[in-house]
Amino acid sequence: MFSLSNVATLIQIFAAEMLFLYSFPKRKRFVMRYTLCIMVCLAAVVFVPDTVQASPVTISIYKFVRYVGLFALSVVAMSLCFDVKFFPLLAACSAGYAVQHASSRLLLAVGTLANLWKLNSWGDYGVILSEFLFFPFTYTAAYFAFGKIVAKSKFYENSSKLQNVLSIVMVIICVGLSRFPSTWGRYLYAVFMCLFALLVQITLQRSHKLREENAVVKSILRQERKHYQMSKENIDFINIKCHDLKYRLASCGGKLPQQEMEEILRAINFYDTDFKTGNEVLDTVLSEKILKCDGLGIRLSCMADGKALDFMEAGDLYSLFGNALDNAIEAVSRLDDSEKRTVSVTVESRGEIAFINIMNYYDGELQIVQGTPQTTKTKNSGFHGFGFKSMKAIAEKYHGSINVAADNDTFTLCAYLTKV
C-alpha cells in the first residue's frame, strides 16, 4: 500500500530545509543531483507504513522513529547536493525540520481550535491538500524570520560542533516530546517547542559567530602592536642613517658636483620623514604611511595635535590610524585623477575629547549600513570588515565612537575618544 503521508512529509522537509540551505555552496550538477535525490528518497519511503497496530505509546514511538528516519534520509540527500561540512549541513537541515514540524502542528491547531473541519474524515488526500495550501504561508514567514538571517550571516559556516549537536538534539527532543501529550493542546505545544528550539539554535550560532569575530579582532590588535614595534625600529633606523648620510655629505665639501649633492639631499630629506606632532606613536605611523603614499603617487597631508592622543595606549593608537590610513590609501590608489589622490588627517582636542578626522576620495558604489562602510565593488574598495571592527572596538574602549559618511565621492571618517 502506498504511503502518501510519507511522500508529502518528505517533500515538505526538503522544501523547509531549502529555506536554510539555498545559500550554501552547491556541488557540480546540482539540479540533476537534487532532482535525482528527491526521486530516490520518495521511492524509498512510499511503501513504509504510516502506523502500526499496537498500544498508543508504541504507536507514538513508531511515528517518532518514522519521522526521524525521514529526516535522516533528507540529510543524506542534502549531503550529496551541497558541498559543505557535515555538522553545518546537519544543523541547517534540523532547522528546516523544525519549521516543517511546527507548520504541520500549527495547521492541526488551527483546524482543531477553529473547528472548521475534521481532518480525520478527509482522508490522506484532504490532509495533504490542506498542508500544501497552508505551508506556503508558514514557510514564507519562516524564511523572513530565520532563513534570510542564516543566509546573510552564514551562521552555520565554521560553527562549533558542540553547539550544532546541542541545537540538533534540542530539535529532535522537542519534536519527539510534542507527540506524547494527549490533549488538543499538543498541537500548539509542538509549534512553540519547535520555534523555541529553532530560536535557541539561531541564537547559539549568533553567539558563536560573535565570539569568533571578537577573537579575530583581538588577534589583529595583537599583531598590530607587534607591527608598531617593528615599524618604530625601522623608522628610527632610517632616520639615523639619513642623519649619518647628511653628516658625511657635509664632510665631503665640494668634492661632489652641486647638482648631484642636491639630488642626494632631496632623497635623504624625503626618507628623513620625522613628523613632529607631539606624539611619538602618531609620528611613527605617519612616517610609515607617507613612504607608502610616495610610492603610489599619493599626497598625505596632516594637521595633528599629537598630544591630544597621549592618553591612548601605543598599540591602540597605531592600530586605529594604521587601519584608517590603509583603507584611505587603498581607496585613492584606485583613482586615475591625480588631483583626488590625496588623504588628509586632522587631530584636535576639545576639552576632554580628542577628535580625529580622515578624509579621502573613492571610486565605486559605497553604502553605509548600520554605521559600517560597504561596497559592491570589492576591487575598488579600501574598506575591510575586520579592520573597521577593530577600529570600532578601540573607539569603544576609550568611551568614544566612529562615524563614517560618503558623499560626492568623498569618504570621511570621524572619531571621537574620551580622555580617561
Side-chain angles (χ1 to χ4, degrees), residues 86-342:
F86 176 72
F87 277 101
L89 176 77
L90 186 58
C93 288
S94 67
Y97 184 43
V99 169
Q100 184 275 332
H101 187 71
S103 299
S104 176
R105 301 298 97 178
L106 183 61
L107 173 62
L108 292 174
V110 170
T112 302
L113 294 175
N115 198 26
L116 296 177
W117 60 75
K118 295 182 179 179
L119 294 177
N120 291 333
S121 65
W122 283 24
D124 287 343
Y125 291 102
V127 173
I128 293 171
L129 177 61
S130 63
E131 288 177 345
F132 280 96
L133 291 175
F134 183 75
F135 279 24
F137 299 99
T138 56
Y139 280 23
T140 300
Y143 167 74
F144 285 104
F146 301 107
K148 287 187 69 175
I149 299 175
V150 170
K152 182 179 179 180
S153 303
K154 300 181 180 180
F155 290 145
Y156 297 105
E157 290 189 2
N158 301 316
S159 54
S160 165
K161 289 184 179 180
L162 178 61
Q163 289 182 337
N164 279 331
V165 170
L166 177 61
S167 59
I168 293 163
V169 170
M170 286 191 63
V171 171
I172 299 301
I173 290 176
C174 289
V175 172
L177 291 178
S178 68
R179 300 196 172 275
F180 286 95
S182 58
T183 63
W184 59 264
R186 68 183 184 273
Y187 302 139
L188 289 179
Y189 175 80
V191 172
F192 288 124
M193 283 296 95
C194 287
L195 292 179
F196 174 74
L198 187 59
L199 182 61
V200 169
Q201 186 181 32
I202 297 296
T203 303
L204 286 172
Q205 298 297 339
R206 183 191 294 271
S207 175
H208 179 73
K209 181 179 177 64
L210 290 175
R211 284 199 298 271
E212 281 192 334
E213 289 183 353
N214 289 336
V216 171
V217 169
K218 290 180 180 178
S219 177
I220 290 173
L221 292 176
R222 286 195 299 269
Q223 293 175 6
E224 288 176 344
R225 288 186 179 94
K226 295 179 181 178
H227 189 192
Y228 162 66
Q229 294 298 331
M230 295 175 61
S231 296
K232 184 178 183 303
E233 293 173 1
N234 291 337
I235 295 297
D236 290 343
F237 179 79
I238 291 173
N239 288 334
I240 290 172
K241 290 300 180 182
C242 286
H243 287 300
D244 289 345
L245 285 173
K246 285 181 180 180
Y247 177 78
R248 293 182 182 180
L249 283 174
S251 65
C252 288
K255 296 178 182 180
L256 293 175
Q258 183 65 26
Q259 183 177 358
E260 187 174 343
M261 286 280 290
E262 291 177 354
E263 290 178 357
I264 294 174
L265 284 172
R266 278 197 296 271
I268 293 173
N269 287 331
F270 170 73
Y271 285 103
D272 187 20
T273 51
D274 190 11
F275 277 91
K276 297 296 184 183
T277 65
N279 185 289
E280 184 180 11
V281 181
L282 183 58
D283 294 344
T284 298
V285 68
L286 289 174
S287 297
E288 178 186 6
K289 300 309 176 186
I290 200 170
L291 293 176
K292 182 178 181 180
C293 287
D294 182 72
L296 297 172
I298 298 171
R299 297 183 301 279
L300 174 62
S301 63
C302 178
M303 295 182 61
D305 175 13
K307 292 187 178 297
L309 304 173
D310 284 345
F311 63 92
M312 294 184 67
E313 294 180 11
D316 293 337
L317 197 159
Y318 181 86
S319 179
L320 178 63
F321 277 89
N323 275 298
L325 290 174
D326 280 342
N327 290 344
I329 290 169
E330 185 174 348
V332 299
S333 67
R334 306 291 182 179
L335 302 177
D336 296 326
D337 188 350
S338 59
E339 295 298 322
K340 291 186 176 182
R341 296 171 70 89
T342 179

